Amino acid sequence: MKLESLRKNVEFKTVYKRGKSFSNNLLVLYKYKNKKNDNTNRLGISVSKKVGNSVVRSRVKRLIKECYRLNQQNFNVENFDLVIIARTSCKDRTYKEVEKALINIIKKAGLYNNEESSNLHD
């Protein structure tokens, strides 16, 4: 299963417009089934300037990307475009808190494999 990044504004807008959204106190997730048939998932991470300065925003992006990468084997995601939006409450959180929020939101979206439901990383 390959993972690519959503980069273009048009791609983000398509996911916002046509996708389905799920949220919790730290993150918002938009999922949209893409038209590719090569098991490619595309992940976009959006962090507003309201969250903090560039250093804070970059840290939040790295945390979200790393949480996704380490838990990817538990996600039942194929041919989806996912956009994860960090809320302002995300800026002072630890890795564990962000990971828990990401797993929670993926479960809400129905994209989590229930076989190893409590396999959190240290």
Side-chain angles (χ1 to χ4, degrees):
M1 181 171 25
K2 291 191 293 185
L3 179 67
E4 294 178 1
S5 292
L6 286 176
R7 297 190 189 282
K8 297 183 176 143
N9 194 22
V10 176
E11 296 170 338
F12 277 85
K13 283 184 177 175
T14 303
V15 176
Y16 292 142
K17 199 157 95 175
R18 299 197 178 136
K20 191 161 170 32
S21 69
F22 305 88
S23 64
N24 59 26
N25 61 338
L26 295 182
L27 304 169
V28 178
L29 170 75
Y30 281 85
K31 75 171 186 176
Y32 175 65
K33 190 89 167 151
N34 67 30
K35 305 294 185 244
K36 296 183 176 190
N37 290 322
D38 57 357
N39 288 348
T40 301
N41 297 315
R42 299 191 304 171
L43 178 67
I45 299 171
S46 176
V47 184
S48 162
K49 285 189 177 179
K50 291 178 187 174
V51 174
N53 63 21
S54 61
V55 175
V56 173
R57 292 194 310 270
S58 292
R59 178 185 175 273
V60 170
K61 279 187 209 172
R62 285 195 314 272
L63 272 177
I64 293 170
K65 192 182 271 186
E66 187 67 0
C67 291
Y68 185 91
R69 186 185 70 80
L70 290 176
N71 289 287
Q72 190 173 355
Q73 75 278 0
N74 295 329
F75 298 160
N76 187 19
V77 182
E78 284 187 6
N79 298 328
F80 274 100
D81 289 347
L82 302 173
V83 174
I84 299 171
I85 302 168
R87 292 191 160 168
T88 52
S89 56
C90 205
K91 69 177 171 187
D92 298 320
R93 302 300 172 131
T94 64
Y95 170 82
K96 277 289 189 193
E97 291 170 312
V98 174
E99 182 182 45
K100 192 174 175 184
L102 181 69
I103 289 172
N104 170 270
I105 209 167
I106 293 285
K107 282 181 181 174
K108 277 185 183 180
L111 300 173
Y112 195 81
N113 287 337
N114 291 329
E115 298 159 9
E116 302 172 35
S117 58
S118 62
N119 185 19
L120 298 177
H121 290 86
D122 291 302

